[in-house]
C-alpha cells in the first residue's frame, strides 16, 4: 500500500510513503520531475519520521 504524503523529508518535493507486507514503512523521495527515487527503509533515515511519531 502506498500513499502520497506531501513533503515528508523537507526538500520541497512531494514524496510517497508505503507499507510492505511485513509492515515496514518505506519512503520514496520525490525527484521534482514527476518521478520518485528508489525506496529507503524509514528506519535507516529516521529524521523525516520523528515528527510523524507524535501523530499516531
Amino acid at each position: 500500500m502506498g500513499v502520497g504524503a506531501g513533503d515528508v523529508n523537507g526538500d520541497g518535493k512531494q514524496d510517497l510513503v508505503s507499507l510492505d507486507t511485513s509492515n515496514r514503512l518505506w519512503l520514496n523521495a520525490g525527484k521534482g520531475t514527476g518521478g520518485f527515487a528508489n525506496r529507503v527503509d524509514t528506519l535507516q533515515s529516521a529524521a523525516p519520521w520523528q515528527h510523524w511519531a507524535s501523530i499516531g
Side-chain angles (χ1 to χ4, degrees), residues 18-51:
S18 58
L19 188 65
D20 69 14
T21 57
S22 298
N23 289 325
R24 287 177 43 189
L25 193 60
W26 298 90
L27 168 68
N28 292 79
K31 293 183 175 183
T33 59
F36 297 93
N38 291 333
R39 73 182 188 171
V40 175
D41 188 333
T42 58
L43 293 177
Q44 295 175 6
S45 60
W49 305 101
Q50 290 174 355
H51 70 277

Side-chain angles (χ1 to χ4, degrees), residues 52-56:
W52 284 51
S54 64
I55 297 172

